[in-house]
Amino acid sequence: MTSEITLFVNPAAGGGRGRRAAEPVAEELRRAGFTVRGVRGTDAEDARRCVRQAVAEGTDALFAVGGDGLVHMALQAVAGTGVPLGVIAVGTGNDFARSLGLPVRDPAAAARLAATALAQNRAGEIALGRAAGTWFGTVLASGFDSRVNDRGNRIRLPLGRFKYDVATVAELAAFRPIPYRLTLDGGEPQDIEATLVAVGNGPSYGGGMRICAGADPREGMFSVTVVGRATRRDLLKVFPRVYKGTHLEHPAVTVHRAARIELAAPGVTAYADGEPLAALPLAVECRAGALRVLGVS
């Protein structure tokens, strides 16, 4: 059996759920026979440094206790290393865990599942996206949705996915179609006007908004959702359907499959896993088998 696990914790995740979850998770892991050491950091930059150092020094697995933001940090440390990741999803959105069918907001169950998989040396391989030197597990957003994300991150209340509903309504007031240049798998560039282009390694972002409903991180291929030129009225009609993925049936929406995307648009910042990434243009690649996840078949 492997012997040591690094527990990476965001104490503030989900309004304190990360802090409260860490203790029962550690208890479950010790009960399974593992030694546990904790990593948290004094701020985001210190947390990134600490978790990378822990992986570099050697650990049998990294367990991330928090939300998608903490998982995003963990990916930067373990992607491509072969060190398996255990996901204890106790954040606000938890889209990464949902995409893989892992327990959400049940830290003890998630810890037991991952610990059993680690003891049996079972970890499923999944793909990750990579852009601007950064790994991501869920969706790279650009356009209207990235602007909503930016505004939503600045809103204190309401909590959870509802703040993104508020941000969406606010952004609609200033909405204009965006001129994109989109290149799929080295093909001919396409010049289009669109509301947004979302590159999905997983199906959802923002706490269950299934913008790339057909994406599966086990497949090693992106699902690219393009919401074309649309009126504010169209967007208001389509937006509620995103939570079920039925927005893909709207005539303004097209879906592409590709492993590499080149994306350019003026004045647009891309977000990945809900975190600000970089301004366009960007080249985005899907890397099959980049991550081993405990509890995933």
Side-chain angles (χ1 to χ4, degrees), residues 210-235:
R210 296 177 58 79
I211 187 69
C212 299
D216 186 336
R218 300 170 185 83
E219 292 184 356
M221 186 73 70
F222 289 133
S223 181
V224 184
T225 298
V226 178
V227 179
R229 189 181 181 95
T231 66
R232 291 184 181 89
R233 180 175 293 181
D234 285 336
L235 290 176

Side-chain angles (χ1 to χ4, degrees), residues 23 33 177 190 194 241:
E23 186 174 339
Q190 306 173 42
R241 298 166 59 181

Side-chain angles (χ1 to χ4, degrees), residues 19-267:
R19 180 183 64 256
R20 293 191 294 272
E23 186 174 339
V25 169
E27 288 177 1
E28 289 287 347
L29 296 176
R30 292 188 182 107
R31 189 176 295 119
F34 297 103
T35 300
V36 179
R37 60 170 171 166
V39 171
R40 57 180 65 191
T42 56
D43 55 29
E45 187 56 40
D46 187 49
R48 281 189 285 267
R49 181 189 62 78
C50 288
V51 75
R52 283 175 169 161
Q53 182 177 342
V55 172
E57 289 176 350
T59 187
D60 293 300
L62 178 67
F63 276 51
V65 185
D68 289 324
L70 191 82
V71 170
H72 182 77
M73 283 191 197
L75 296 183
Q76 313 316 309
V78 296
T81 67
V83 175
L85 180 67
V87 180
I88 313 298
V90 293
T92 301
N94 304 312
D95 290 290
F96 184 80
R98 293 179 199 279
S99 75
L100 297 170
L102 297 173
V104 171
R105 296 183 185 171
D106 189 344
R112 285 193 296 271
L113 176 67
T116 299
L118 183 58
Q120 298 175 356
N121 195 27
R122 291 187 294 103
E125 290 189 349
I126 69 165
L128 293 176
R130 188 159 175 84
T134 300
W135 299 98
F136 67 93
T138 57
V139 177
L140 183 144
S142 74
F144 180 75
D145 51 357
S146 63
R147 291 172 180 170
V148 168
N149 205 333
D150 187 39
R151 183 181 290 269
N153 289 342
R154 300 194 303 268
I155 294 175
R156 294 182 180 274
L157 293 173
L159 298 175
R161 81 182 196 188
F162 299 107
K163 66 181 181 180
Y164 296 100
D165 295 348
V166 172
T168 297
V169 173
E171 284 297 322
L172 278 171
F175 169 71
R176 296 289 185 279
I178 300 167
Y180 283 90
R181 172 161 287 191
L182 176 65
T183 306
L184 303 171
D185 285 334
E188 287 295 318
Q190 306 173 42
D191 291 316
I192 59 174
E193 281 198 333
T195 302
L196 64 87
V197 178
V199 181
N201 182 62
S204 67
Y205 58 12
M209 298 172 69
R210 296 177 58 79
I211 187 69
C212 299
D216 186 336
R218 300 170 185 83
E219 292 184 356
M221 186 73 70
F222 289 133
S223 181
V224 184
T225 298
V226 178
V227 179
R229 189 181 181 95
T231 66
R232 291 184 181 89
R233 180 175 293 181
D234 285 336
L235 290 176
L236 286 169
K237 288 180 179 178
V238 170
F239 174 69
R241 298 166 59 181
V242 173
Y243 289 102
K244 293 184 178 180
T246 56
H247 65 291
L248 300 181
E249 301 166 3
H250 192 278
V253 178
T254 56
V255 177
H256 308 274
R257 300 276 289 172
R260 178 182 169 85
I261 297 96
E262 294 172 43
L263 194 58

